Amino acid sequence: MIEGTVLLVGCGNMGSALLKGWFARGLNPVDIMIVEPAGRESVAAASEHPALVVLSDVSELPTDFTPDVVVFAVKPQNAKDVIPAYAHMAESGTVFLSIIAGLPLAKLEALLGANSALVRAMPNTPASIGQGISVLCPGSQAGPSQKRVCKVLMAAVGQTAWIENEADMDAVTAVSGSGPAYVFLLVETLAEAGVKAGLSPELSEQLALATVSGAGALLASSNSSCAQLRKVVTSPGGTTAAALDVLMASNGMSDLMNGAVAAAAKRSRELAG
Ligand SMILES: NC(=O)c1ccc[n+]([C@@H]2O[C@H](COP(=O)([O-])OP(=O)(O)OC[C@H]3O[C@@H](n4cnc5c(N)ncnc54)[C@H](OP(=O)(O)O)[C@@H]3O)[C@@H](O)[C@H]2O)c1
């Protein structure tokens, strides 16, 4: 159950996913306002919730509106133009929850004021089906109840975890933020390899997709570790062992993944400036 008033700034892909999750967790439409330039028609949930207020611009907000939480879900390139208009809400105990990738707490603080209560979060795309994972990092002024409400809001779209050291956000971005793309690539490359091994493209794609999603579901529902589940599939001298000899050789999957995660973390640091 989500309690309190929420102002969602930006209702695109991730904002919509959050909104869907909040309604599923019992957030009352009268306790939420949305600022989204594309207007009410662009917000899918608005037709199901007539009481939901969608404004096209921050200037339309009632001057005395002081939400418990402002959630920033705009694109990084819009952040510095959008965020300062909400700075006055800091005085009323509002906590600002930003999911804007690559925007550090120090830059948020520069836009909102030194005394503003901030929480930075990094969700990932499975949030759109309620199966994401969001990592949250509190600013120095965020109190326990403000952190709790931010966690509850992010938990509406999946699992949550906290970090205390914001520098870890670059590695988080590289693992869970960008990670869904690595899994999609795994399906693509597995399907391509199946075609090279003689299967039709249709069957190979079906096999690769069902295998990756089925293995993920098995892993999520099992008490065994990844390594244990892998060993269960691997008979000594068998077909899986032959494939794993290739994947686990030097310059194999481990080296590739280390390189990929290091490159993403480096890029995250560069984008944060
Ligand atoms: N999608 C992901 O998987 C993911 C994962 C982690 C973090 N994030 C972060 O989440 C944020 C949103 O990403 P997204 O994929 O949801 O982007 P998106 O679909 O482009 O959504 C951003 C929304 O912000 C709106 N907007 C623009 N100017 C605004 C303003 N002045 N006031 C209020 N809203 C405004 C945009 O409206 P218009 O389209 O009309 O301009 C758009 O609807 C980004 O910062 C991204 O880094 C996303």
Side-chain angles (χ1 to χ4, degrees):
M1 182 76 177
I2 296 175
E3 288 174 352
T5 50
V6 179
L7 175 63
L8 174 64
V9 180
C11 195
N13 295 317
M14 197 50 80
S16 299
L18 286 167
L19 194 58
K20 192 170 143 198
W22 297 340
F23 284 137
R25 298 289 175 102
L27 185 72
N28 193 325
V30 299
D31 289 330
I32 184 156
M33 277 200 199
I34 297 173
V35 178
E36 165 55 56
R40 188 174 187 86
E41 294 68 37
S42 72
V43 176
S47 56
E48 294 160 40
H49 301 282
L52 183 64
V53 175
V54 182
L55 308 173
S56 303
D57 190 78
V58 59
S59 60
E60 296 165 28
L61 275 175
T63 45
D64 58 349
F65 181 61
T66 50
D68 294 303
V69 192
V70 175
V71 180
F72 291 119
V74 295
K75 287 282 191 203
Q77 59 269 28
N78 294 331
K80 72 173 181 354
D81 296 329
V82 172
I83 291 176
Y86 300 85
H88 65 281
M89 293 175 178
E91 291 157 22
S92 322
T94 295
V95 58
F96 299 95
L97 169 61
S98 167
I99 65 160
I100 301 171
L103 189 69
L105 288 166
K107 287 196 179 166
L108 268 175
E109 194 179 280
L111 296 169
L112 288 164
N115 292 322
S116 49
L118 308 174
V119 173
R120 179 182 171 193
M122 169 56 66
N124 64 1
T125 48
S128 62
I129 56 162
Q131 294 193 36
I133 181 157
S134 301
V135 175
L136 297 93
C137 182
S140 59
Q141 303 295 316
S145 62
Q146 293 175 316
K147 289 199 268 186
R148 204 173 312 119
V149 72
C150 291
K151 181 189 153 117
V152 170
L153 289 173
M154 298 313 296
V157 290
Q159 298 181 43
T160 58
W162 285 98
I163 54 170
E164 292 301 323
N165 180 6
E166 193 186 7
D168 290 344
M169 203 53 106
D170 298 309
V172 164
T173 303
V175 174
S176 59
S178 302
Y182 316 158
V183 178
F184 303 143
L185 180 63
L186 173 65
V187 176
E188 290 176 71
T189 52
L190 184 55
E192 282 163 20
V195 171
K196 284 191 182 134
L199 298 175
S200 71
E202 296 74 22
L203 178 59
S204 196
E205 191 180 328
Q206 184 185 4
L207 296 182
L209 185 56
T211 300
V212 172
S213 54
L218 174 63
L219 184 58
S221 67
S222 168
N223 291 324
S224 303
S225 68
C226 280
Q228 285 166 333
L229 288 172
R230 171 169 52 77
K231 282 173 189 157
V232 169
V233 193
T234 314
S235 322
T239 58
T240 311
L244 292 180
D245 282 347
V246 176
L247 292 172
M248 297 173 81
S250 67
N251 295 325
M253 204 144 165
S254 175
D255 282 352
L256 272 177
M257 196 56 85
N258 284 335
V261 168
K266 177 172 176 278
R267 186 68 187 133
S268 176
R269 283 190 292 276
E270 287 166 0
L271 290 173

